[in-house]
Structures are given as C-alpha cells and as structure tokens.
Amino acid sequence: MAPPVSGLRELRRRRRELRSRMELLIMETQAEVCRALAALDPGASFVVDSWERKEGGGGISCVLQDGEVFEKAGVNVSVVSGLLSEEAARQMRSRGKSLKAKDGKLPFCAMGVSSVIHPKNPHVPTMHFNYRYFEIEEADGTKQWWFGGGTDLTPTYLNEEDAVHFHKTLKEACDKHDLKLYPKYKKWCDDYFYIKHRGERRGIGGIFFDDMDSPSKEEVFQFVKSCAKAVVPCYIPIVKKHCHDSFTPEEKLWQQLRRGRYVEFNLLYDRGTKFGLLTPGSRIESILMSLPLTARWEYMHNPPESSKEAEILEVLRNPKDWVH
C-alpha cells in the first residue's frame, strides 16, 4: 500500500533478520486484506496515510470510510522504536515480565499489523485481527522478545454456519503447528475479550495469544505467518455471503447498541489501545481507528426473550465450542 517504514534498501540489507521478515509479513498482510476489502466495495477507496514518529519509526494507516459495504475499515501497520515509557513498562511487569532497566531506560522495538472492519449491514459481523512482534533490550544487553496477536469475530446476529467457518479456518492454521494451540488460544480469546462490567464477551471469539516466546523464534514466526494468512479466508466469504442481505431499522438499531459494547471494551480493557496511549509520540488517530463511525447507548435496553437479539447475548455470556 506504501513503501515500508524501514525502507526497502534497509530491509533488503537485513533480509535474513527476523525483524525484517516480520516487517515484510505485516506489510504483505496489510496489502492482501486491503485488496480483498476493496474488491467487495469498489465504489469506495482506501486513504493511505504514511506517518513518522519523531521518537523513532512510523507507520502506514489505510482507512476506508462510508462505503457501500463497509462503514469503516482500517488496516494499520506500525514499526516503532525508542525508550519504553514507565507506564508501559509497568503494564508489562504486571503480566509477569521481568524487565531490568539501565538508568530507568528500556530500549524497545515493536511492530505489528492491526485491523478492525465495521460493515454497514448488521448481518455482516465486525472483524478484528492483530499480529505483532516486540523486542526489549535490558540493562545487561540481553534482549527479551515475544509475539502476540489473534483474530476474532463480533457478529450483531448469530449465524452458526458463519461461526463454524470462521473458527474452523483459524483452527486449521493453528493445527499446522500444534494441535494444542487452537483450544488454548480459543479459550484465551474468550477470556481476553470479556467486558467485565457487562458480564459478556465482545464477540464470539477466535484466537488470541500474547508473550509467545517458545519453542523458538523461527517456529513462532511461522505460526504467526500461518495465522496472518488465514485472515482473508476466514472472513471475506462471510462478507460476500451477507453484504446484500435485507435488514430492518430495528436490526440496525441493535447493531448500533452492540457497537457501543465494542467501544467500551476497546477504551477500557484493550491491551494494545492502552499501550498505544501510554507510548510517547503515538499516533492517536491510528490507535482509535478501531472505533466505529457510529454507536449507540440506550438506558436499560433489554431484548425480548427468545428473540434473535437474546440469542446472541446467550452466546456472548456462555461461549460455545464451534468446531467439535
């Protein structure tokens, strides 16, 4: 979509290094997803916005707004470096990271691709994915590294066939590497995207993992690559299937209310949003790209029992196994 943040010459010079390969992977993933989305919404186009961070690095934000199919679809790449803020370091230590700073300073490098897609039609689910690599240099010069990421689906209305397709596609990507990964990361996803004050999940899950640093850097990279390559096949067929479905004003209203829950999770609990907001020089517009153009909050809204709205709430409160 744009020249890479580190520059082609630099990436070619360091092409065997994992950091360069990861940057190329996130660039390729951004381009693949944007092309697939643009093909479904030919009347709209992506704004491609390259930006620099004075503290080190930069990114490429690709955002489509007010299309026929997508109300807002954003796919961001960022490659940043510098010194970790005290707040960000505190957040990582709270997850069990032992970070030994030198004179209070922790040099870091972080890169990733992140996307949230909010369709117009309430029968097309919202989808989010994120794949990232993090590296920190400690006081003695040793480097801690880890990968994180995941892909998850947030439907307004439950379609079991879509849920099965989405989860099976992600399971196939995980199973190429270890049969234990999908059940582990599916549960982690259900637990992570939990809106505590509502007692429900943000969506019907997918996979989520963080702090992944074994069995080896190469093996974890190959796993992340498989997951990133599964994004288009797990989601695009669902969009094609439902983007021209008819819907009522009441169904559109329910979509807006569910988007309110999406906003609540992202601003209150999401790890990536918190890290971005705590990192000096972060690009706020790109961090908040995940928020929908429109959302709604109504006082004490409760759907009728046995309604389609109540059906999705039941699944959000009690996650299901979609592949067995």
Side-chain angles (χ1 to χ4, degrees):
M1 302 299 289
V5 175
S6 299
L8 277 173
R9 182 178 296 177
E10 182 65 13
L11 287 179
R12 286 185 181 126
R13 189 178 69 82
R14 297 187 290 108
R15 63 184 177 275
R16 289 187 174 84
E17 293 181 21
L18 189 132
R19 277 168 57 167
S20 297
R21 291 164 65 203
M22 183 64 180
E23 184 171 348
L24 286 170
L25 173 63
I26 62 179
M27 294 289 296
E28 289 167 7
T29 304
Q30 181 186 51
E32 286 170 9
V33 173
C34 287
R35 281 196 295 265
L37 297 175
L40 294 177
D41 209 339
S45 59
F46 277 94
V47 172
V48 180
D49 185 14
S50 297
W51 51 274
E52 293 183 2
R53 177 176 173 269
K54 66 178 182 179
E55 292 83 357
I60 303 154
S61 297
C62 299
V63 181
L64 180 157
Q65 290 185 159
D66 283 321
E68 289 297 316
V69 175
F70 302 108
E71 182 181 283
K72 187 180 183 186
V75 191
N76 288 341
V77 157
S78 63
V79 181
V80 298
S81 58
L83 298 176
L84 203 63
S85 72
E86 190 55 45
E87 293 91 340
R90 194 179 301 120
Q91 184 187 349
M92 289 178 183
R93 289 187 178 110
S94 72
R95 306 203 314 263
K97 294 285 179 192
S98 175
L99 303 176
K100 303 179 187 71
K102 183 176 183 180
D103 302 322
K105 296 177 180 178
L106 282 164
F108 81 95
C109 168
M111 62 184 69
V113 57
S114 179
S115 174
V116 178
I117 300 157
H118 294 291
K120 282 192 168 177
N121 193 310
H123 297 293
V124 182
T126 286
M127 193 269 286
H128 157 261
F129 75 87
N130 173 283
Y131 292 100
R132 58 194 178 274
Y133 173 72
F134 214 98
E135 197 174 271
I136 290 181
E137 185 176 331
E138 297 191 88
D140 60 0
T142 60
K143 290 182 179 178
Q144 281 202 47
W145 61 267
W146 64 90
F147 290 85
T151 304
D152 61 279
L153 198 69
T154 304
T156 301
Y157 289 95
L158 182 63
N159 182 299
E160 295 209 0
E161 188 177 277
D162 296 344
V164 169
H165 165 78
F166 184 80
H167 278 268
K168 275 193 170 179
T169 307
L170 294 178
K171 182 179 184 298
E172 287 166 7
C174 294
D175 286 354
K176 292 175 186 175
H177 302 270
D178 190 330
L179 295 178
K180 297 175 184 174
L181 293 179
Y182 170 77
K184 178 181 178 180
Y185 295 155
K186 192 269 186 191
K187 184 181 185 306
W188 198 345
C189 188
D190 289 335
D191 293 342
Y192 176 75
F193 290 105
Y194 182 62
I195 309 172
K196 297 173 188 174
H197 61 279
R198 298 287 190 181
E200 60 193 45
R201 277 81 189 162
R202 188 178 76 176
I204 62 165
I207 57 170
F208 174 87
F209 59 93
D210 207 354
D211 303 323
M212 192 175 183
D213 57 6
S214 64
S216 72
K217 192 180 280 190
E218 180 62 30
E219 287 172 287
V220 181
F221 173 72
Q222 292 300 330
F223 168 68
V224 168
K225 186 175 181 179
S226 293
C227 293
K229 295 297 181 186
V231 169
V232 168
C234 79
Y235 182 62
I236 294 300
I238 298 174
V239 182
K240 287 180 178 178
K241 181 179 169 185
H242 297 293
C243 63
H244 298 300
D245 287 2
S246 61
F247 58 88
T248 66
E250 291 76 21
E251 289 171 332
K252 188 67 179 175
L253 170 66
W254 179 243
Q255 180 194 53
Q256 299 298 295
L257 292 168
R258 294 312 309 167
R259 282 185 178 170
R261 299 290 204 267
Y262 206 94
V263 171
E264 289 173 27
F265 178 86
N266 281 28
L267 293 183
L268 291 174
Y269 302 116
D270 186 67
R271 220 178 257 182
T273 303
K274 284 183 176 180
F275 175 78
L277 296 175
L278 293 173
T279 300
S282 290
R283 195 158 190 276
I284 302 303
E285 286 295 318
S286 297
I287 295 167
L288 298 182
M289 174 274 303
S290 65
L291 302 181
L293 286 185
T294 58
R296 186 179 177 95
W297 286 262
E298 284 191 6
Y299 183 69
M300 297 296 286
H301 184 280
N302 291 301
E305 287 185 26
S306 302
S307 64
K308 286 287 186 182
E309 292 78 11
E311 180 186 35
I312 186 71
L313 281 180
E314 174 60 25
V315 173
L316 299 179
R317 290 166 182 160
N318 300 288
K320 289 182 64 172
D321 180 347
W322 298 104
V323 296
H324 296 105

